[in-house]
Amino acid sequence: MFKKRLLSCAVLTALSVASAQSMAAGFQLNSQSATGLGRAFAGDAVIADNASAMARNPATMAMFKETSMSLGFTVIDTDVRIKDGTYNQFKVSNVGPVPIPGSNEIDISGTDGIGSTAVVPNFYLVVPVNDQWAWGLSAYSNFGTGTEFKDDFAASVFGGTTEIKSMNFGASLSYRLNEQWSFGAGLDLIYGIGKLKRDIDFASCSLEGLPPKEVCNTHKFNALDVDASGFAVGGNVGVVYEVNDNHRFGLSYRYSPTVTAKGDVNTVAGNADKMDMPLPDMAEFSGYHRLHDKFAAHYSVQWVQWSAFDTLYMGGIEKEYAWKDAGHISVGGTYYLNNDWILRAGYMYDVAATDDIKSISIPDSDRQWLSAGFTYRIDTRSNVDFGATYLIGKDTQVDEFMGVEIGDRPIGTSVSATTRADAILVGLQYSRTF
């Protein structure tokens, strides 16, 4: 009875932590276009060099004189690994009249291959109606993540399978008030898919043989299995101020809703047919300055309301988070080489959303983006964009415990590890005016 009650407490805590791992700050995607990727998205809310600009600011559609279309994809290859770490497996020793709780220490150093490779598509269409009005359609993603530990990973409750995907289907409208001011607004239909799986294990030990020797058997069972999807409606607004043809500023705000995902939500604490996933609002300010016929400088500051992700309810589990508002700052430059080639580069510093709560599943840390790309004009109406980014994370110390405390003694399972997450992003895009 003691063992069963103790294990139940540990499992409930484990599920709460497992849900945190699936929603680490890495589930925001900056992959809306190859053009933006090549400059670390510096200035993307105002540059408007192709139709993909509407993803960051709907007011940029007012700067288009002709119907414009862009379509492409971004490949995201993440490298998540545990550089060194120890997993303390929960153990119950049946060597006396009362079971004795303890732990087995297991080395998990060198665990790699945790990250995944994803292809994120995008599509944009901007149609000017007259000198003042324009409308547009878009399809792209703002959120997503994926990690998968091998089946034999010892600390399976801390890291299992995580797959979260989303897609924005947007419709936007812009209005040009005069030569300086333009405004825009849009609606987003957001579709999200979530698949999560976590297992938990413990060791049951007893004395066998002569002389007596402790023999342990590991018991493993599923603690979390989620397969759910759902829709929600969000929106965005924006404004552009053009000082002249060479200098302009953009400001945008995006409202992100709570997505209610319906499907199978099974946990050891209970089952449900849905779960709510709050998404953060975002605001962005950008500037663009054509300093010379050949060169332009641009920058962006983005704020993300990660504090909105405070509580997650899932199959009888209520988990409170300690996330903070975060965002990024990026700077970039564009070199207009000739009529056929445009070169660009950028740098971004991306601030982590997690504070005290860390995870081995998707380790979160401040990140640096080193980006470069180009545009090649095929003819006067079409071009191809290529962008690439090397995303550099930081070593992150993770210390997690799940279980109960009896007096001053913690009883349960824990992990202590140094993790690292880096990534390579590559994008390709085709744009055309009609």
PDB file of all heavy atoms in Angstrom, residues 2 8 64 78 81 89 121 142 145 215 254 261 305 323 326 337 343 396 413:
ATOM      1  N   PHE A   2       1.932   1.208   0.839  1.00  0.00           N
ATOM      2  CA  PHE A   2       2.850   2.343   0.899  1.00  0.00           C
ATOM      3  C   PHE A   2       3.489   2.578  -0.476  1.00  0.00           C
ATOM      4  O   PHE A   2       3.577   3.691  -0.965  1.00  0.00           O
ATOM      5  CB  PHE A   2       3.915   2.069   1.959  1.00  0.00           C
ATOM      6  CG  PHE A   2       5.046   3.055   1.947  1.00  0.00           C
ATOM      7  CD1 PHE A   2       4.914   4.312   2.520  1.00  0.00           C
ATOM      8  CD2 PHE A   2       6.251   2.718   1.348  1.00  0.00           C
ATOM      9  CE1 PHE A   2       5.968   5.214   2.498  1.00  0.00           C
ATOM     10  CE2 PHE A   2       7.299   3.614   1.330  1.00  0.00           C
ATOM     11  CZ  PHE A   2       7.156   4.861   1.905  1.00  0.00           C
ATOM     12  N   SER A   8       2.048   6.605  -6.981  1.00  0.00           N
ATOM     13  CA  SER A   8       0.990   7.435  -7.544  1.00  0.00           C
ATOM     14  C   SER A   8       1.326   8.913  -7.424  1.00  0.00           C
ATOM     15  O   SER A   8       1.122   9.693  -8.357  1.00  0.00           O
ATOM     16  CB  SER A   8      -0.340   7.137  -6.853  1.00  0.00           C
ATOM     17  OG  SER A   8      -0.723   5.795  -7.075  1.00  0.00           O
ATOM     18  N   PHE A  64       2.267  47.520 -52.082  1.00  0.00           N
ATOM     19  CA  PHE A  64       2.342  46.760 -53.323  1.00  0.00           C
ATOM     20  C   PHE A  64       1.495  47.427 -54.402  1.00  0.00           C
ATOM     21  O   PHE A  64       0.340  47.789 -54.168  1.00  0.00           O
ATOM     22  CB  PHE A  64       1.870  45.324 -53.097  1.00  0.00           C
ATOM     23  CG  PHE A  64       2.841  44.491 -52.301  1.00  0.00           C
ATOM     24  CD1 PHE A  64       2.863  44.559 -50.918  1.00  0.00           C
ATOM     25  CD2 PHE A  64       3.740  43.649 -52.938  1.00  0.00           C
ATOM     26  CE1 PHE A  64       3.751  43.806 -50.176  1.00  0.00           C
ATOM     27  CE2 PHE A  64       4.635  42.878 -52.209  1.00  0.00           C
ATOM     28  CZ  PHE A  64       4.645  42.966 -50.828  1.00  0.00           C
ATOM     29  N   THR A  78      16.991  20.372 -35.939  1.00  0.00           N
ATOM     30  CA  THR A  78      17.394  20.688 -34.576  1.00  0.00           C
ATOM     31  C   THR A  78      18.313  19.611 -34.012  1.00  0.00           C
ATOM     32  O   THR A  78      18.117  18.420 -34.258  1.00  0.00           O
ATOM     33  CB  THR A  78      16.173  20.852 -33.656  1.00  0.00           C
ATOM     34  OG1 THR A  78      15.401  19.646 -33.684  1.00  0.00           O
ATOM     35  CG2 THR A  78      15.299  21.999 -34.117  1.00  0.00           C
ATOM     36  N   ARG A  81      20.699  17.616 -27.358  1.00  0.00           N
ATOM     37  CA  ARG A  81      21.508  16.549 -26.766  1.00  0.00           C
ATOM     38  C   ARG A  81      21.738  16.805 -25.278  1.00  0.00           C
ATOM     39  O   ARG A  81      21.665  17.934 -24.806  1.00  0.00           O
ATOM     40  CB  ARG A  81      22.853  16.425 -27.483  1.00  0.00           C
ATOM     41  CG  ARG A  81      23.679  17.701 -27.474  1.00  0.00           C
ATOM     42  CD  ARG A  81      24.772  17.643 -28.530  1.00  0.00           C
ATOM     43  NE  ARG A  81      25.611  18.833 -28.536  1.00  0.00           N
ATOM     44  CZ  ARG A  81      25.306  19.955 -29.158  1.00  0.00           C
ATOM     45  NH1 ARG A  81      24.159  20.074 -29.799  1.00  0.00           N
ATOM     46  NH2 ARG A  81      26.149  20.976 -29.133  1.00  0.00           N
ATOM     47  N   GLN A  89      16.640   6.785 -10.701  1.00  0.00           N
ATOM     48  CA  GLN A  89      15.417   6.002 -10.857  1.00  0.00           C
ATOM     49  C   GLN A  89      14.814   5.680  -9.480  1.00  0.00           C
ATOM     50  O   GLN A  89      15.515   5.303  -8.554  1.00  0.00           O
ATOM     51  CB  GLN A  89      15.732   4.707 -11.591  1.00  0.00           C
ATOM     52  CG  GLN A  89      14.538   3.807 -11.832  1.00  0.00           C
ATOM     53  CD  GLN A  89      14.966   2.431 -12.328  1.00  0.00           C
ATOM     54  OE1 GLN A  89      15.864   1.815 -11.736  1.00  0.00           O
ATOM     55  NE2 GLN A  89      14.345   1.961 -13.402  1.00  0.00           N
ATOM     56  N   PRO A 121       5.978  24.728 -44.693  1.00  0.00           N
ATOM     57  CA  PRO A 121       5.637  25.422 -45.940  1.00  0.00           C
ATOM     58  C   PRO A 121       5.033  26.796 -45.680  1.00  0.00           C
ATOM     59  O   PRO A 121       4.598  27.112 -44.565  1.00  0.00           O
ATOM     60  CB  PRO A 121       4.602  24.494 -46.573  1.00  0.00           C
ATOM     61  CG  PRO A 121       3.909  23.883 -45.393  1.00  0.00           C
ATOM     62  CD  PRO A 121       4.960  23.731 -44.323  1.00  0.00           C
ATOM     63  N   ASN A 142       3.366  29.697 -37.048  1.00  0.00           N
ATOM     64  CA  ASN A 142       4.050  30.457 -36.002  1.00  0.00           C
ATOM     65  C   ASN A 142       4.539  29.587 -34.858  1.00  0.00           C
ATOM     66  O   ASN A 142       5.411  30.015 -34.091  1.00  0.00           O
ATOM     67  CB  ASN A 142       3.112  31.531 -35.417  1.00  0.00           C
ATOM     68  CG  ASN A 142       3.079  32.787 -36.251  1.00  0.00           C
ATOM     69  OD1 ASN A 142       4.074  33.186 -36.851  1.00  0.00           O
ATOM     70  ND2 ASN A 142       1.904  33.418 -36.313  1.00  0.00           N
ATOM     71  N   THR A 145       6.987  22.240 -32.674  1.00  0.00           N
ATOM     72  CA  THR A 145       8.192  21.635 -32.117  1.00  0.00           C
ATOM     73  C   THR A 145       8.105  20.128 -32.255  1.00  0.00           C
ATOM     74  O   THR A 145       7.024  19.576 -32.487  1.00  0.00           O
ATOM     75  CB  THR A 145       8.369  22.021 -30.625  1.00  0.00           C
ATOM     76  OG1 THR A 145       9.653  21.588 -30.173  1.00  0.00           O
ATOM     77  CG2 THR A 145       7.311  21.376 -29.752  1.00  0.00           C
ATOM     78  N   VAL A 215      18.494  -7.892  -5.790  1.00  0.00           N
ATOM     79  CA  VAL A 215      18.145  -8.058  -7.201  1.00  0.00           C
ATOM     80  C   VAL A 215      16.965  -7.142  -7.508  1.00  0.00           C
ATOM     81  O   VAL A 215      15.955  -7.169  -6.787  1.00  0.00           O
ATOM     82  CB  VAL A 215      17.789  -9.526  -7.519  1.00  0.00           C
ATOM     83  CG1 VAL A 215      17.349  -9.655  -8.979  1.00  0.00           C
ATOM     84  CG2 VAL A 215      18.972 -10.429  -7.221  1.00  0.00           C
ATOM     85  N   ARG A 254      -0.127  40.945 -32.782  1.00  0.00           N
ATOM     86  CA  ARG A 254      -0.843  39.713 -33.119  1.00  0.00           C
ATOM     87  C   ARG A 254      -1.498  39.150 -31.867  1.00  0.00           C
ATOM     88  O   ARG A 254      -0.828  38.919 -30.857  1.00  0.00           O
ATOM     89  CB  ARG A 254       0.105  38.680 -33.720  1.00  0.00           C
ATOM     90  CG  ARG A 254      -0.558  37.338 -34.047  1.00  0.00           C
ATOM     91  CD  ARG A 254       0.421  36.393 -34.704  1.00  0.00           C
ATOM     92  NE  ARG A 254       0.894  36.944 -35.950  1.00  0.00           N
ATOM     93  CZ  ARG A 254       0.259  36.851 -37.106  1.00  0.00           C
ATOM     94  NH1 ARG A 254      -0.915  36.205 -37.169  1.00  0.00           N
ATOM     95  NH2 ARG A 254       0.759  37.384 -38.194  1.00  0.00           N
ATOM     96  N   ALA A 261      -7.810  21.638 -28.186  1.00  0.00           N
ATOM     97  CA  ALA A 261      -7.514  20.463 -28.995  1.00  0.00           C
ATOM     98  C   ALA A 261      -8.355  19.289 -28.500  1.00  0.00           C
ATOM     99  O   ALA A 261      -8.320  18.951 -27.312  1.00  0.00           O
ATOM    100  CB  ALA A 261      -6.035  20.130 -28.918  1.00  0.00           C
ATOM    101  N   GLN A 305       4.387  37.461 -25.428  1.00  0.00           N
ATOM    102  CA  GLN A 305       3.740  37.384 -24.112  1.00  0.00           C
ATOM    103  C   GLN A 305       3.695  35.940 -23.621  1.00  0.00           C
ATOM    104  O   GLN A 305       2.633  35.363 -23.425  1.00  0.00           O
ATOM    105  CB  GLN A 305       2.333  37.982 -24.179  1.00  0.00           C
ATOM    106  CG  GLN A 305       1.692  38.203 -22.821  1.00  0.00           C
ATOM    107  CD  GLN A 305       0.236  38.599 -22.934  1.00  0.00           C
ATOM    108  OE1 GLN A 305      -0.390  38.433 -23.978  1.00  0.00           O
ATOM    109  NE2 GLN A 305      -0.316  39.114 -21.855  1.00  0.00           N
ATOM    110  N   TRP A 323       6.747  30.962 -16.539  1.00  0.00           N
ATOM    111  CA  TRP A 323       7.324  31.543 -17.741  1.00  0.00           C
ATOM    112  C   TRP A 323       7.292  33.059 -17.670  1.00  0.00           C
ATOM    113  O   TRP A 323       6.490  33.650 -16.948  1.00  0.00           O
ATOM    114  CB  TRP A 323       6.571  31.059 -18.975  1.00  0.00           C
ATOM    115  CG  TRP A 323       6.911  29.632 -19.326  1.00  0.00           C
ATOM    116  CD1 TRP A 323       7.434  28.679 -18.509  1.00  0.00           C
ATOM    117  CD2 TRP A 323       6.737  29.015 -20.594  1.00  0.00           C
ATOM    118  NE1 TRP A 323       7.603  27.504 -19.183  1.00  0.00           N
ATOM    119  CE2 TRP A 323       7.182  27.677 -20.457  1.00  0.00           C
ATOM    120  CE3 TRP A 323       6.244  29.444 -21.812  1.00  0.00           C
ATOM    121  CZ2 TRP A 323       7.157  26.778 -21.519  1.00  0.00           C
ATOM    122  CZ3 TRP A 323       6.212  28.557 -22.855  1.00  0.00           C
ATOM    123  CH2 TRP A 323       6.661  27.231 -22.724  1.00  0.00           C
ATOM    124  N   ALA A 326       9.130  37.367 -23.189  1.00  0.00           N
ATOM    125  CA  ALA A 326      10.453  37.355 -23.813  1.00  0.00           C
ATOM    126  C   ALA A 326      10.351  37.968 -25.210  1.00  0.00           C
ATOM    127  O   ALA A 326       9.424  38.711 -25.513  1.00  0.00           O
ATOM    128  CB  ALA A 326      11.006  35.934 -23.850  1.00  0.00           C
ATOM    129  N   LEU A 337      23.494  44.255 -55.112  1.00  0.00           N
ATOM    130  CA  LEU A 337      24.688  44.056 -55.929  1.00  0.00           C
ATOM    131  C   LEU A 337      24.501  44.568 -57.354  1.00  0.00           C
ATOM    132  O   LEU A 337      25.315  45.340 -57.874  1.00  0.00           O
ATOM    133  CB  LEU A 337      25.058  42.576 -55.929  1.00  0.00           C
ATOM    134  CG  LEU A 337      26.318  42.181 -56.692  1.00  0.00           C
ATOM    135  CD1 LEU A 337      27.545  42.826 -56.061  1.00  0.00           C
ATOM    136  CD2 LEU A 337      26.475  40.654 -56.704  1.00  0.00           C
ATOM    137  N   LEU A 343      22.003  40.643 -51.939  1.00  0.00           N
ATOM    138  CA  LEU A 343      22.607  39.876 -50.856  1.00  0.00           C
ATOM    139  C   LEU A 343      22.150  40.432 -49.517  1.00  0.00           C
ATOM    140  O   LEU A 343      21.951  41.643 -49.366  1.00  0.00           O
ATOM    141  CB  LEU A 343      24.133  39.937 -50.950  1.00  0.00           C
ATOM    142  CG  LEU A 343      24.752  39.614 -52.314  1.00  0.00           C
ATOM    143  CD1 LEU A 343      26.269  39.738 -52.247  1.00  0.00           C
ATOM    144  CD2 LEU A 343      24.349  38.223 -52.778  1.00  0.00           C
ATOM    145  N   THR A 396      22.763  24.413 -20.852  1.00  0.00           N
ATOM    146  CA  THR A 396      21.728  24.693 -19.847  1.00  0.00           C
ATOM    147  C   THR A 396      21.748  23.622 -18.774  1.00  0.00           C
ATOM    148  O   THR A 396      21.703  22.428 -19.077  1.00  0.00           O
ATOM    149  CB  THR A 396      20.335  24.733 -20.516  1.00  0.00           C
ATOM    150  OG1 THR A 396      20.325  25.733 -21.539  1.00  0.00           O
ATOM    151  CG2 THR A 396      19.261  25.056 -19.493  1.00  0.00           C
ATOM    152  N   THR A 413      11.857  10.401  -8.154  1.00  0.00           N
ATOM    153  CA  THR A 413      12.841  10.270  -9.218  1.00  0.00           C
ATOM    154  C   THR A 413      13.315  11.650  -9.629  1.00  0.00           C
ATOM    155  O   THR A 413      12.586  12.642  -9.497  1.00  0.00           O
ATOM    156  CB  THR A 413      12.242   9.513 -10.420  1.00  0.00           C
ATOM    157  OG1 THR A 413      13.245   9.334 -11.414  1.00  0.00           O
ATOM    158  CG2 THR A 413      11.081  10.289 -11.036  1.00  0.00           C
TER     159      THR A 413
END
